[in-house]
Amino acid sequence: MINNNIYEKFVIELYNSKFITLEDFVLNKKRIFGRAKINPPSNSEILEIYNHLVDKKIIERNKLFEKYCKKHKIRTLSGVSVISILTEEAPCPGNCAFCPSEKDMPKSYLPNEPAVMRAIKCNFDAYKQVVARLSALKHTGHDTSKNEIIIMGGTWSYLNKKYQEKYILNVFKGLNFDINKLKFIPLLIQEKLSKNNIKKIQIEQKINEKANNRCVGLTLETRPDYINEEELKRMRLFGCTRIEIGVQSTFDDVLNLNRRGHNIEKTIEATRLMKDAGFKICYHMMPNLPGSNLDKDYKMFYDLYNDQNFKPDMLKIYPCVVVKSTDIYKWYQEKKYIPYTDEELINLLIKIKSITPYWVRINRLVRDIPSTSIVAGNKIPNLREIVNKKMHEEGLCCNCIRCREIKDKEIDINNIEMFIEKYNASSGVEYFISFEDSDRKNILSFLRLRIPSNYFSHKEHFIHELNDCTIIREIHTYGIVSSVGEKESDDKSQHHGLGKKLIQEAERITKEEYNIKKIAVISGIGVREYYKKNGFKQIDTYMIKDLH
């Protein structure tokens, strides 16, 4: 905290200065503080003073001023604030040759990874981690009304069930910490009286539906061989909307050599169950594993995109690296395993990105392992940037969703079109419905609709409330985060009713093409109010609309 009184008049002068571009803002800042012969405060400190002046009604809120003060603005340009937290050290059912094993760390994580370092400071406490991340995001000028919680730390499904329940409860308590508790006194009394953690979670979730910091998505990490019908139902009780599973390879011989502990059939079955329950699916894939090669790795991704047994919505590509606390470190020393060169890896990733379909999002191309911990393998931290630059030089492009997000580009709403991609996946049918510009270089909004496998097999759905339903697995609008309840603005892609139009198209497909009378949504807790306004009702853990 800096002394506001010293700097207030200079921040007011900066606020009143003429700035249209970021360059104008930076020059004005240097001029104003340089003239006063004092060191300029950081942008986050300027934001702190600015918010104080707004609260005192000395100045009015200015979105452009906030935008130019914002630090790491990329963090909220995907439409939500992402909060990644870790569970504590716990036993793991796997014994993978490539996986680090560090003392007091969750399996596969290193103590010098950024997210892990933040978790250590909070003693891996879920409540403290959430509050700390919310505070950091707010301090650097980010809106935190819409938050996606990503819970990392190995195999969630293997953790003690009581620990799971307490952890999730503290996640929602962390999100709800700064709301007006008095409004929810009856609910809080119920929570204190209840000895059932699931009931307590449901109470906190009810609060979060109208909280200042809402959970619009919750992600859990697990293994394919720990996915079953009962586990998915339990994940829904926690509010989970996305599952990240460690697939690593689509070849059983590679999985066996690396002691993964499951075969590819487990991945195929888990994928079908997760999609039928409406979850979004992110595969973790590891090219460059011992036993694989460049041709095999390329075929692996070709199969992911084209074989109906796979077709994940998202990918995290983590090229295998050698760290000391792994078995492959010994293999590397004995020259039984030699990682790809940088050039080989870059060219492989270019080939993979070049065939990525429009409906896949490549979330990551490299894991945040500091190069000081890597003995061999990729040490390039900005690998994605280098791959994209080389693709551009070669006249190639990646069609993945992340590469095409609108971010903070200006929008010509008259130059957007609806695109519909239909594809078979996991014994069902998927529709990827999107609003994009006419050349499909920029995507503004999309919806994933599933016709579940039980519709074609004429069987009962394993989740009773999803019988006779199509399922909206995801709706996402990209651009700068818009606060909950904020009025429409011409420069924010989140405010053109695109989501509503996508829902209407999904309803049309459901009724006209399949004669199905209900449509369900796997809704994040903090999005339930939005779906209620669009005619959906909460039935157990899903939002469902009758289309009669």
Side-chain angles (χ1 to χ4, degrees), residues 120-250:
I120 292 171
K121 286 183 180 179
C122 298
N123 199 29
F124 296 97
D125 181 278
Y127 176 87
K128 291 178 181 178
Q129 289 183 76
V130 170
V131 171
R133 292 305 294 147
L134 286 172
S135 299
L137 286 164
K138 287 177 179 177
H139 187 64
T140 50
H142 295 276
D143 184 280
T144 59
S145 63
K146 302 173 185 175
N147 303 282
E148 182 175 340
I149 305 295
I150 300 177
I151 299 175
M152 306 182 296
T155 306
W156 169 268
S157 306
Y158 193 69
L159 296 174
N160 177 276
K161 284 184 167 50
K162 292 296 181 185
Y163 175 80
Q164 291 178 354
E165 292 167 8
K166 185 178 179 182
Y167 196 91
I168 294 293
L169 178 61
N170 283 330
V171 166
F172 282 100
K173 282 186 173 182
L175 289 166
N176 294 341
F177 85 104
D178 68 346
I179 64 173
N180 183 1
K181 297 278 187 176
L182 293 176
K183 185 176 180 182
F184 300 103
I185 281 178
L187 288 174
L188 293 175
I189 290 173
Q190 286 178 38
E191 181 183 323
K192 288 177 182 178
L193 293 175
S194 175
K195 295 181 180 180
N196 184 324
N197 277 334
I198 296 295
K199 179 64 177 176
K200 290 181 180 180
I201 290 168
Q202 290 170 341
I203 290 167
E204 289 291 339
Q205 288 175 342
K206 188 67 178 175
I207 294 172
N208 192 253
E209 289 180 16
K210 297 182 180 180
N212 292 334
N213 305 313
R214 299 185 193 179
C215 177
V216 299
L218 191 148
T219 297
L220 297 172
E221 287 185 344
T222 193
R223 291 165 55 102
D225 48 333
Y226 275 77
I227 291 292
N228 55 51
E229 294 177 359
E230 293 307 310
E231 177 64 6
L232 295 179
K233 291 175 185 177
R234 183 172 170 82
M235 286 180 166
R236 284 303 297 137
L237 288 175
F238 294 150
C240 179
T241 54
R242 183 175 87 187
I243 300 174
E244 298 193 5
I245 57 170
V247 175
Q248 318 307 0
S249 176
T250 57

Side-chain angles (χ1 to χ4, degrees), residues 312-351:
D313 309 306
M314 308 168 202
L315 293 174
K316 286 185 177 178
I317 302 175
Y318 293 146
C320 184
V321 296
V322 178
V323 298
K324 287 187 176 180
S325 57
T326 63
D327 287 340
I328 63 171
Y329 174 63
K330 300 172 188 173
W331 300 355
Y332 172 73
Q333 287 181 310
E334 296 167 357
K335 297 186 179 179
K336 293 178 181 177
Y337 169 60
I338 301 174
Y340 301 150
T341 65
D342 289 347
E343 184 179 7
E344 287 174 329
L345 180 59
I346 289 169
N347 288 335
L348 172 64
L349 293 173
I350 287 173
K351 290 175 67 178

Side-chain angles (χ1 to χ4, degrees), residues 367-423:
R367 186 168 156 184
D368 278 341
I369 298 177
S371 59
T372 52
S373 296
I374 299 173
V375 177
N378 173 61
K379 294 185 181 182
I380 305 171
N382 62 332
L383 184 61
R384 189 179 200 124
E385 181 183 340
I386 290 171
V387 168
N388 288 346
K389 182 180 179 182
K390 189 169 182 183
M391 289 183 74
H392 180 72
E393 291 170 353
E394 296 177 5
L396 301 171
C397 67
C398 176
N399 290 326
C400 99
I401 294 169
R402 178 169 173 177
C403 287
R404 300 186 300 119
E405 292 171 12
I406 190 71
K407 295 187 172 67
D408 58 350
K409 298 175 187 173
E410 291 191 9
I411 303 160
D412 180 1
I413 203 68
N414 297 313
N415 189 37
I416 66 170
E417 299 178 20
M418 178 184 285
F419 293 87
I420 300 177
E421 301 223 9
K422 176 183 177 182
Y423 55 96

